[in-house]
Amino acid sequence: MSVHKVTSQGKQRYRVRWREGGRNRRRTFGRSRAADAFDARVRCERQLRGVDHVVGTDTTLEDYVGKWWHEVAEQTLNQRTLDPYAVALDLRIVPGLGGG
């Protein structure tokens, strides 16, 4: 992830580049402040997810939830929180959204 100053049609522009779902991405802004803010947001989202972006990959919601459950939920949440999460995931969320 990075911000680069570029000239486009005689105007200064700012291009943010990052990698998502195994592909190189870019977005251009007219102001450096906007580019810096977007770059910070992309960095923050990557850190919060703990894994690379799921968008643009073949990872299903069901796969992602399974990984999240074992690596994050079981390590950080107590059993009284996990029980209703498990019911919601098993009965509503994964069957409705997570099919492979």
Side-chain angles (χ1 to χ4, degrees):
M1 294 165 292
S2 59
V3 178
H4 301 278
K5 190 185 295 188
V6 295
T7 303
S8 176
Q9 300 175 351
K11 294 182 180 180
Q12 286 287 341
R13 310 279 293 169
Y14 300 88
R15 181 171 292 151
V16 179
R17 296 172 23 162
W18 73 100
R19 192 154 177 84
E20 179 180 301
R23 296 180 60 191
N24 292 324
R25 305 287 185 173
R26 70 179 183 186
R27 186 167 172 191
T28 305
F29 297 86
R31 297 180 184 211
S32 64
R33 218 178 217 178
D36 289 336
F38 182 80
D39 184 59
R41 189 175 118 210
V42 170
R43 287 175 190 267
C44 183
E45 287 177 5
R46 180 171 284 171
Q47 289 175 346
L48 290 174
R49 290 184 178 158
V51 295
D52 203 6
H53 287 264
V54 174
V55 176
T57 67
D58 292 333
T59 304
T60 64
L61 177 63
E62 185 174 12
D63 295 338
Y64 183 79
V65 166
K67 185 173 183 169
W68 171 81
W69 188 267
H70 295 295
E71 293 180 6
V72 178
E74 290 180 335
Q75 307 300 318
T76 60
L77 302 175
N78 67 40
Q79 196 61 44
R80 288 181 63 164
T81 303
L82 288 173
D83 291 341
Y85 279 22
V87 171
L89 288 168
D90 290 344
L91 297 180
R92 303 278 185 226
I93 297 169
V94 172
L97 301 173

